[in-house]
Amino acid sequence: MRISILIAAALSVGAAHAADPVVGRTKANAACAVCHGPTGMSMMPNAPHLAGQPAIYLVEQLKNYRSGKRAHEVMGVIAKPLTDAEIEDLAAWYSSLQISVQAP
């Protein structure tokens, strides 16, 4: 009986959001591409490349900007209205991008 209650409680919470890189790409094109480039390669000297970054890192940093734990004049404004699902989708998009490095 106890297991049934736990299972029912877990199911009532709902399924976790499955991060969607396609949705993330759409959001990135609207909110991020001006500084970070359409493919996650920075268009500005003081903005980092996001392509190929681990999703867990991107999620953590966007949440830090959103909460104010990490301060940046522009990123604070961009991240503040993002939902957890939007953050996960953005992270899925940028982490799905492959980059290559060539030694000189």
Side-chain angles (χ1 to χ4, degrees):
M1 176 108 173
R2 206 172 200 180
I3 293 174
S4 311
I5 293 170
L6 290 174
I7 292 171
L11 292 174
S12 69
V13 172
H17 172 76
D20 186 342
V22 174
V23 173
R25 180 181 188 175
T26 302
K27 186 71 173 176
N29 285 338
C32 311
V34 171
C35 297
H36 298 286
T39 60
M41 299 304 286
S42 177
M43 304 298 287
M44 301 175 69
N46 62 341
H49 300 306
L50 299 179
Q53 291 286 350
I56 193 168
Y57 171 78
L58 294 170
V59 166
E60 181 179 359
Q61 297 314 310
L62 283 170
K63 287 181 177 182
N64 287 342
Y65 283 125
R66 183 178 67 185
S67 71
K69 184 176 180 181
R70 184 170 179 181
H72 185 272
E73 187 176 309
V74 175
M75 284 304 301
V77 172
I78 298 290
K80 191 122 185 125
L82 294 176
T83 65
D84 285 348
E86 289 172 322
I87 288 173
E88 290 172 19
D89 291 339
L90 285 165
W93 163 244
Y94 285 116
S95 68
S96 74
L97 298 171
Q98 306 266 327
I99 58 172
S100 63
V101 178
Q102 263 184 331

